[in-house]
């Protein structure tokens, strides 16, 4: 059976096509200002990637902030359940999931059977979300992708005081004026955000087997800082931004089987 | 003077209130030792009285610093700092 | 989207200076000064025998000691006064440790309360100060001594900086926001995001949906008022109530705060950004007199 999961995020929309639990196609597109259109686009190009026809799709499930706008979906699932489901399938030993999106940060404790034990979300402040790193990259005039490698090359500890994105932009500018190196500033940025993420994580309880998902999990500098902050190794899931959409696709398969 | 140290961000409001009315006459200032995270400090105010303040570098991280004393939601509410002030002049807002 | 480095000056308030026409000769008087170095603007206020004689308000440059010096020089411009004539100087504000010629530094909280007491009169009990990078609520007694305060400087929402981000986004001069925010048919609901970054995306979204700049500004001023009122509610608002700082000049926020609280703020016939520096100049006079009494052995 073929099913599709669509994760409609505030910044990008991801679609994953699965056949009997295995990923056979995926696609990502910018959400911009039309989540409905983005869902449709991501869906179509994921099908193309998988090489399957629309008629073969048994069910489509949508998740993410814009899930209700994804009109092509036959069902919806909340992002915490989808993220946990996808992670449990992709990295079964995960006990603690840290899922970071452009505008959210979630810490989810997962039970052995894949069920959710407890979770915490911050979606009200950008200081612990992906946007924070993007803003700082823009201020440093480098790409978001360059932030991680730059941070890993740091040579000194450069503490940042500002936590708010708006204030941190000004602080980064003054650090640039002070001739501080981009690598050290990038590291300071990651230490700061890792500290804020870990305060959320502490509220659900720190365990072993920590997995990170969401686009920022591709940032090795952030993963490194987070591991240090939590005192445990943190592993980034493979194709981290697709894990939640994968979880939604698994839900779609389950729903279709029940019918 | 009731000094509210802390902040409010999208996730909630996190203030520690220190009423400094009795600070000048309080011997030993036990609150400064009671906090395991050491967030309280002695300081001379604008009128040369020694009072207790929340350290400047801690003020904007209270939610994460104080998490050590309130690990689980719904857990015990007897915080070491609140208990240490015999006059009951220290209070957490969350 | 702006890079953060190249900023258009939409958000800057104009600089200004003033000399009291009622004081013809300052020579022989007790000259004291208060310098308030804020994150975005610096004020220097000069008092002669306890009366306001001159002031200046300039942008804070990247070098705080220079800003302090420039502000005091400009305030003295045309008066014949020089720095040597200052009997006592108090530095206050976020950059207070950077006033090289200050005889003493005092926290902005104490200075604000004292300054508001002078500027608005002794009936002031609650002062809301909205600066460039922070927002403070101060309670004081009839002498202008602080009885309680709270402050938020972690998050840009509810600060001048937050308003600047929106002004920049909409390419609107910060001085025009107040008036523009009332050019609407009916009051829109406030912008729902607290975080300035999220509010920015929300504002962009609203513009795409066809909202006018005026309507978006109204929604943002409304949200800001909401947030500030929440801070005030921690200690309650005792009248008389005054609003100081840069945002006090933005009627769009002030009127909305008043309507949420159901309380009218005192009218100011002076630049409300001066309160901190005025308090500094008054403290300077008190400290000078105290030291003089000590020298005289009583």
């Amino acid at each position: 059976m073929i099913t599709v999961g669509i994760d409609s995020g505030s910044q990008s929309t991801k679609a994953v096509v699965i056949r009997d639990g295995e990923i056979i196609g995926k696609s990502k597109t910018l959400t911009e200002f039309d989540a409905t259109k983005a869902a449709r686009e991501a869906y179509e190009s994921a099908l193309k990637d998988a090489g399957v026809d629309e008629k073969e799709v048994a069910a489509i499930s949508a998740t993410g902030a814009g899930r209700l706008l994804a009109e092509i979906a036959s069902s919806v699932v909340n992002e915490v359940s989808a993220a946990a489901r996808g992670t449990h399938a992709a990295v079964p030993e995960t006990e603690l999931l840290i899922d970071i999106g452009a505008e959210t940060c979630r810490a989810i404790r997962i039970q052995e059977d894949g069920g959710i034990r407890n979770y915490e979300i911050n979606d009200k402040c950008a200081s612990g979300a992906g946007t924070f790193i993007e803003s700082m990259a823009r201020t440093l005039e480098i790409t978001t992708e360059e932030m991680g490698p730059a941070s890993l090359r740091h040579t000194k500890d450069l503490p940042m005081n500002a936590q708010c994105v708006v204030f941190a932009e000004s602080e980064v500018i003054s650090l640039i004026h002070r001739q501080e190196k981009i690598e050290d500033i990038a590291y300071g940025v990651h230490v700061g955000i890792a500290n804020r993420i870990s305060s959320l994580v502490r509220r659900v309880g720190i365990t072993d087997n920590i997995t990170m998902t969401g686009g920022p999990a591709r940032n090795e500098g952030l993963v490194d800082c987070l591991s240090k902050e939590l005192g445990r190794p943190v592993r980034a899931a493979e194709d981290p931004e697709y894990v939640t959409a994968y979880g939604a696709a698994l839900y779609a398969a389950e729903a279709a089987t029940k019918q | 003077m009731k000094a509210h140290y802390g902040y409010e961000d999208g996730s909630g409001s996190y203030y520690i209130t220190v009423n400094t009315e009795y600070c000048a006459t309080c011997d030993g200032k036990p609150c400064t030792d009671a906090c395991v995270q050491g967030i309280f400090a002695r300081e001379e105010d604008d009128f040369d009285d020694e009072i207790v303040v929340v350290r400047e570098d801690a003020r904007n991280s209270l939610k994460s610093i104080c998490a050590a004393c309130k690990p689980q939601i719904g857990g015990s509410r007897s915080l070491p700092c609140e208990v240490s002030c015999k006059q009951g002049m220290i209070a957490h807002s969350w | 989207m702006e890079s953060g480095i190249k900023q258009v000056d939409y958000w800057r308030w104009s600089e200004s200076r003033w000399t009291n026409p009622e004081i013809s000769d300052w020579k022989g008087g007790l000259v004291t000064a208060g310098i308030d170095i804020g994150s975005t603007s610096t004020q220097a206020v000069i008092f002669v025998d306890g009366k306001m004689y001159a002031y200046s308000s300039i942008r804070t440059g990247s070098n705080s000691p220079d800003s302090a010096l420039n502000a005091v020089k400009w305030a003295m411009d045309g008066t014949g006064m020089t720095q040597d004539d200052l009997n006592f100087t108090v530095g206050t504000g976020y950059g207070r440790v950077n006033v090289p010629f200050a005889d003493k530094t005092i926290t902005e909280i104490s200075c604000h309360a004292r300054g508001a007491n002078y500027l608005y009169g002794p009936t002031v009990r609650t002062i809301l100060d909205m600066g460039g990078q922070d927002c403070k609520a101060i309670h004081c007694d009839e002498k202008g001594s602080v009885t309680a305060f709270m402050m938020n400087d972690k998050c840009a929402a509810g600060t001048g900086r937050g308003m600047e981000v929106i002004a920049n986004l909409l390419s609107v001069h910060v001085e025009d926001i107040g008036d523009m925010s009332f050019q609407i048919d009916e009051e829109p609901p406030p912008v729902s995001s607290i975080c300035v970054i999220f509010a920015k995306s929300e504002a962009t979204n609203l513009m795409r949906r066809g909202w006018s700049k005026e309507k978006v500004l109204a929604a943002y001023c409304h949200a800001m008022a909401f947030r500030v009122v929440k801070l005030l509610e921690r200690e309650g608002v005792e009248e008389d109530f005054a609003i100081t700082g840069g945002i006090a000049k933005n009627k769009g926020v002030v009127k909305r705060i008043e309507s949420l609280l159901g309380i009218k703020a005192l009218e100011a016939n002076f630049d409300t950004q001066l309160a901190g520096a005025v308090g500094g100049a008054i403290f300077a006079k008190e400290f000078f007199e105290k030291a003089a009494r000590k020298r005289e052995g009583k």
Side-chain angles (χ1 to χ4, degrees), chain A residues 203-215:
Chain A
R203 281 192 278 152
V204 299
I206 299 170
T207 64
D208 288 322
N209 296 314
I210 307 173
T211 302
M212 194 173 157
T213 62

Side-chain angles (χ1 to χ4, degrees), chain C residues 160-180:
Chain C
R161 196 69 194 88
M163 190 54 90
E164 289 160 14
V165 169
I166 302 299
N168 254 335
L169 175 75
L170 303 178
S171 306
V172 171
H173 283 277
V174 85
E175 301 181 9
D176 300 331
I177 289 177
D179 285 334
M180 282 179 73

Side-chain angles (χ1 to χ4, degrees), chain B residues 60-92:
Chain B
N60 282 343
S61 312
L62 293 180
K63 177 172 144 191
S64 88
I65 295 174
C66 297
C69 287
K70 25 180 128 183
Q72 298 297 335
I73 294 153
S76 155
R77 284 287 301 170
S78 57
L79 299 165
C81 58
E82 290 186 352
V83 172
S84 75
C85 182
K86 296 286 171 289
Q87 301 283 354
M89 293 291 148
I90 296 177
H92 284 228

Side-chain angles (χ1 to χ4, degrees), chain C residues 218-295:
Chain C
Y220 192 69
C221 289
H222 194 166
M224 193 147 180
F226 231 89
R227 173 140 179 107
V228 169
V229 164
K230 237 184 129 196
L231 180 82
L232 280 169
E233 279 171 351
R234 293 195 58 73
E235 274 287 332
V237 176
E238 192 188 337
E239 292 182 85
D240 290 350
F241 172 55
I243 305 179
T244 64
I247 307 246
K249 298 184 201 172
N250 181 334
K251 278 185 295 171
V253 177
V254 171
K255 293 229 166 107
R256 287 178 175 90
I257 292 173
E258 290 178 335
S259 87
L260 285 171
L261 288 173
I263 289 175
K264 267 195 81 65
L266 293 173
E267 292 281 342
N269 47 6
F270 47 85
D271 187 335
T272 54
Q273 275 179 299
L274 291 174
V278 166
I282 296 170
F283 272 119
K285 179 174 181 277
E286 288 171 10
F287 283 119
F288 182 81
E289 287 167 344
K290 204 167 144 192
R293 279 198 300 275
K294 233 179 212 168
R295 278 198 301 276

Side-chain angles (χ1 to χ4, degrees), chain A residues 52-207:
Chain A
V52 299
D53 190 81
E54 206 173 334
K55 290 188 209 82
E56 298 174 64
V57 177
I60 307 167
S61 190
T63 186
R67 59 182 179 269
L68 297 174
L69 297 169
E71 288 165 359
I72 44 168
S74 45
S75 64
V76 292
V77 52
N78 73 63
E79 36 294 52
V80 173
S81 305
R85 186 65 176 273
T87 307
H88 184 69
V91 193
E93 62 271 34
T94 306
E95 290 173 66
L96 171 59
L97 165 64
I98 302 172
D99 178 39
I100 304 188
E103 297 192 350
T104 53
C105 172
R106 303 186 188 96
I108 306 167
R109 287 271 300 275
I110 303 177
Q111 293 168 351
E112 239 171 275
D113 62 0
I116 295 163
R117 193 191 173 91
N118 58 338
Y119 67 90
E120 285 278 341
I121 301 180
N122 176 15
D123 56 4
K124 301 260 159 53
C125 168
S127 71
T131 299
F132 184 84
I133 299 175
E134 273 170 44
S135 268
M136 298 308 117
R138 211 162 43 232
T139 310
L140 287 168
E141 297 183 320
I142 62 175
T143 63
T144 309
E145 290 72 33
E146 286 170 312
M147 283 293 280
S151 167
L152 293 175
R153 291 194 305 270
H154 76 276
T155 50
K156 72 168 177 184
D157 242 340
L158 198 62
M160 290 229 353
N161 297 317
Q163 309 193 39
C164 171
V165 176
V166 175
F167 294 155
E169 276 175 356
S170 322
E171 189 172 352
V172 165
I173 291 169
S174 68
L175 292 172
I176 296 170
H177 287 322
R178 254 173 48 191
Q179 318 275 316
E180 296 290 356
K181 292 202 324 226
I182 284 180
E183 287 80 3
D184 297 333
I185 301 175
Y187 180 63
V189 165
H190 290 136
V191 169
I193 188 171
N195 179 275
R196 291 186 287 279
I197 293 169
S198 75
S199 88
L200 184 82
V201 173
R202 271 193 207 103
R203 281 192 278 152
V204 299
I206 299 170
T207 64

Side-chain angles (χ1 to χ4, degrees), chain C residues 6 71 75 85-86 91 96 107 131 147-148 165 167 189 191 212 234 257 270 289:
Chain C
K6 280 180 234 109
D85 297 312
L86 293 174
R96 61 181 175 275
T107 58
T147 53
V165 169
V191 168
S212 64
R234 293 195 58 73
I257 292 173
F270 47 85
E289 287 167 344

